[in-house]
Amino acid sequence: MTELLRLQPTESEKDKTSEDRYSTWMYMVTETETDPYFDFINNFLDILEPKFADLEKLGVTRDKILFWKLYEYDQQCGMEFHPQEMVRLGQNGIHLNIDCWTNSTEESTTA
């Protein structure tokens, strides 16, 4: 996966100790309130779309791909997605999961 996508996966604490650590490949981008907007749906699809055939050869079918937005907020949790992004996700059969929670610090971050 790493060679194919030309990206270093994000390692989690679970990956270091789990016997099935090679069953999940994760790439994470973290942004803060002061960072410029990161269009995660289009950026990630730009990475994946040219590689779908090669991913399937590795046993990674589109139904196994999940985009996960983790959002920590202070006052209000609001998100907006452009219809073209949603269409693009749907046409590719990619699932989107969003988790939101209230931050516990002064500075809010999203992943």
Side-chain angles (χ1 to χ4, degrees):
M1 290 284 301
T2 302
E3 244 179 72
L4 177 64
L5 297 177
R6 297 183 182 165
L7 295 169
Q8 278 301 108
T10 304
E11 192 172 280
S12 71
E13 289 303 313
K14 178 185 174 232
D15 291 340
K16 294 176 185 176
T17 59
S18 174
E19 288 183 28
D20 66 339
R21 66 179 161 257
Y22 299 111
S23 67
T24 301
W25 191 94
M26 178 176 60
Y27 179 69
M28 181 171 56
V29 173
T30 303
E31 62 182 326
T32 65
E33 284 183 9
T34 58
D35 290 336
Y37 173 71
F38 179 72
D39 184 358
F40 77 100
I41 292 173
N42 285 313
N43 276 285
F44 291 161
L45 284 173
D46 288 346
I47 293 166
L48 292 174
E49 282 176 332
K51 308 289 186 187
F52 280 138
D54 292 327
L55 287 167
E56 288 184 16
K57 289 176 188 173
L58 295 174
V60 180
T61 55
R62 296 177 198 204
D63 64 322
K64 294 179 182 173
I65 299 172
L66 172 65
F67 287 9
W68 205 310
K69 173 110 175 143
L70 305 175
Y71 187 82
E72 185 178 17
Y73 65 95
D74 187 22
Q75 298 282 322
Q76 176 181 349
C77 181
M79 293 181 204
E80 180 177 334
F81 298 100
H82 194 278
Q84 288 177 319
E85 294 171 342
M86 298 293 95
V87 167
R88 195 171 173 200
L89 273 176
Q91 287 174 336
N92 283 298
I94 306 294
H95 296 255
L96 173 64
N97 189 1
I98 301 171
D99 282 346
C100 303
W101 67 92
T102 306
N103 77 7
S104 57
T105 65
E106 291 293 317
E107 187 176 339
S108 177
T109 59
T110 61

